[in-house]
Amino acid sequence: MEHFFSEQQKEIKKLARTIAEEKILPVRAELDEKEEFPREIMKVLGDTDMFRVFIPEEYEGLGGGCLDLCLVVEELSRICCGIAVSYAAVALGVIPVIVYGSEELKRKYLPDVASGKKLAAFAVTEPTAGSDVTAIKTTARPENDGYVLNGTKQFITNGGEAELYTVIALTNPKKGIRGASAFVVEKDTPGFSFGRKEKKLGIRASATRELVFEDCLVPEENIIGKEGMGFIVTMNLFDNSRPGIGAQAVGLAQGALEASVAYARERIQFGHPIFSLQAVQHMLADMATHVEAARALVYAAARTVDSGAKDVGGESAMAKVFASDVAMKVTTDAIQIFGGLGYMRDYPVEKMFRDAKITQIYEGTNQVLRNAIAFELRKKKRMWD
Ligand SMILES: Cc1cc2nc3c(=O)[nH]c(=O)nc-3n(C[C@H](O)[C@H](O)[C@H](O)COP(=O)(O)OP(=O)(O)OC[C@H]3O[C@@H](n4cnc5c(N)ncnc54)[C@H](O)[C@@H]3O)c2cc1C
């Protein structure tokens, strides 16, 4: 599908592949085993301008869109999804600032993110508010010179590692989620601390942590957009970012497919490589077909986002749902092709299988997103115009 890309997109993709193969491949198993945040790799990504990809040119970025970001995420995920999500979560943290932030806020924060000096994160989830984000309880009480935050966020990617956090909190609890607002909170703000660091099934190089706010005063100018826009900011963000989860899934599935083809060529049983068995050939053929279909859908959704179209929620959700289901199926089949060795940590498909599961869960579970897709279908008077 490369012939659709601009020269810049081709270069970005190629560079991301080189970084993944030269810098990430040698350390991925160790970081996964030790559940260690990839600080050195984040520095490499900063030094090679990878964080500039999703930042507008006016703020020292390369001005790339959703597709550019997807290309990087896909290439990194092909080698390690835990590292890819640590990178992608930075984009998640700053897209609200790019889309809704004041000029002052953009100038204050975006250049440091573009250079890789500061990492970012996005926080909406709470212990009692997962799929139902309308149930958030964290408050941001307006005071003379800003807002005082109280509450706990759960499962936040890059928690404890990022310098900047986009946090959704209620400025007017009486209005429920319509009274929510979005803020940028800096790591060293008094009253902001980090709680439990999660021990995970997969993407173990990524940090997933609680954020705790206790009378944490955030300056007035750090509000993103206006009071009451927190829910809109969140929904717009996910509509724009879900193709990126699809890209994680495509990259993972591609990695598992390549490993499976290589292994099937080498593994001899009954005197021949197992690739000569039709049962194995058909599994590989289905895996390859599904990966290509998922990739096509993810790129199409990313292009729709980049076109500036208003109604991208349905397509974006479809790309995430389909690609993540493909990643789970393809990584499961990869283990089957490796047989007993696929179950062992010495081979990469075991990690890919563990990493794939989260793509069906975060940024809207696949059940919740199927609800959203069905909602879009019900709204349409005529279909497929
Ligand atoms: C590793 C990891 C990283 C994460 N990173 C972030 C982050 O950076 N920032 C952030 O804010 N959040 C983050 N999350 C939170 C993530 O988005 C939520 O876990 C996810 O939205 C699901 O919420 P939940 O875990 O509370 O599950 P629940 O909402 O409790 O869902 C439990 C089950 O019920 C089903 N269910 C719930 N409601 C419905 C419904 N209406 N229809 C059908 N089925 C339904 C779900 O599909 C699921 O199977 C992360 C989570 C994980 C595990």
Side-chain angles (χ1 to χ4, degrees), residues 22 63 130 191 211 222 265 308 368 382:
E22 291 180 3
L211 315 184
N222 276 26
R265 282 193 185 130
V368 167
R382 280 161 56 92

Side-chain angles (χ1 to χ4, degrees), residues 87-104:
Y87 166 81
V90 177
L92 200 69
V94 294
I95 288 172
V97 177
I98 295 170
V99 178
Y100 293 103
S102 65
E103 188 55 30
E104 191 188 356

